[in-house]
Amino acid sequence: MTQRLVFAGDSITDAGRDRADDGSYGDGYVALLADELPAQGADVVVVNRGVSGDRAVDLEGRWEADVRAQRPDVLTVYVGVNDMWRRFDSDDPTSAQEFEATYRRLLAATDADRVILVEPYFVPVHADQTEWPADLDEKRAVVARLAEETGAVLVPLQEAFSRAAAEHGVAAIAPDGVHPTPAGSRLIADAWLAAYTGVEAGAR
């Protein structure tokens, strides 16, 4: 049976897709998965509903039309870094409590059979960003806690990106600390595939 895989999130999911074309996946991790899953024999339809700049509250505003209306069998939610970023570039913070409340509402309004939550990551690039990870750590903890509470599968990314940055340099995986290079997108896709494989194994 064909599975509908819906990906909801921010610019890392959007990855420059043509939002007027449902067959456009951008050039990030979703595009890699859309190519590789069918090649591996998976009977799937991939739907990219990432929108650059989205915070959790923005995702909530389009949840019915962009996510639930797509009737996902497997839903991937990847959001959080803009909830951190806007605090520092626009003086528009989102507290961990606000982030969690919104994220809980998203998950409560989810009909998917299976849910995958992706941990947001950030690798500091500039000296004035030393305080940023502490803010995102609170959001990362929310995502991990909600995955555990709801039975969703967690895709951990922070450790993988921190390790890759230490080994190869930040520019090789995410030059601004967030938006991935092709190598960074490969890291995300591989982590997602590991989670999805586990989901599928558990479903059999």
Side-chain angles (χ1 to χ4, degrees):
M1 180 181 296
T2 302
Q3 281 194 330
R4 289 182 65 81
L5 311 183
V6 177
F7 294 81
D10 54 32
S11 59
I12 300 175
T13 298
D14 183 328
R17 70 183 178 92
D18 178 355
R19 296 176 198 165
D21 178 5
D22 277 346
S24 174
Y25 305 113
D27 59 5
Y29 78 99
V30 178
L32 293 175
L33 298 174
D35 285 342
E36 293 170 15
L37 286 168
Q40 295 170 3
D43 184 7
V44 298
V45 172
V46 174
V47 179
N48 188 339
R49 285 297 180 266
V51 172
S52 182
D54 264 13
R55 297 172 295 178
V57 68
D58 302 308
L59 193 52
E60 183 178 32
R62 59 187 183 86
W63 194 253
E64 289 293 327
D66 270 10
V67 179
R68 292 191 72 186
Q70 294 300 319
R71 303 179 66 83
D73 296 302
V74 179
L75 171 65
T76 298
V77 184
Y78 186 176
V79 72
V81 73
N82 288 312
D83 295 83
M84 174 272 289
W85 201 284
R86 294 291 86 80
R87 170 185 173 184
F88 297 101
D89 76 347
S90 302
D91 193 24
D92 186 11
T94 300
S95 70
Q97 293 76 19
E98 291 169 326
F99 178 72
E100 180 168 352
T102 303
Y103 214 131
R104 283 186 181 278
R105 290 193 298 269
L106 296 179
L107 296 180
T110 294
D111 301 323
D113 295 331
R114 298 159 207 159
V115 179
I116 297 173
L117 305 185
V118 183
E119 176 190 50
Y121 67 84
F122 175 67
V123 183
V125 176
H126 305 294
D128 61 358
Q129 294 177 329
T130 55
E131 297 180 12
W132 295 29
D135 185 285
L136 189 62
D137 285 349
E138 296 181 343
K139 276 77 172 178
R140 290 174 47 234
V142 166
V143 176
R145 182 165 60 251
L146 291 178
E148 183 175 4
E149 289 182 11
T150 64
V153 176
L154 180 68
V155 179
L157 290 182
Q158 182 65 60
E159 183 177 350
F161 269 80
S162 294
R163 182 170 59 250
E167 292 177 358
H168 306 293
V170 178
I173 57 159
D176 65 355
V178 171
H179 296 98
T181 61
S185 293
R186 180 75 263 166
L187 277 180
I188 299 170
D190 286 345
W192 188 94
L193 282 167
Y196 178 74
T197 300
V199 168
E200 290 302 287
R204 289 196 290 269

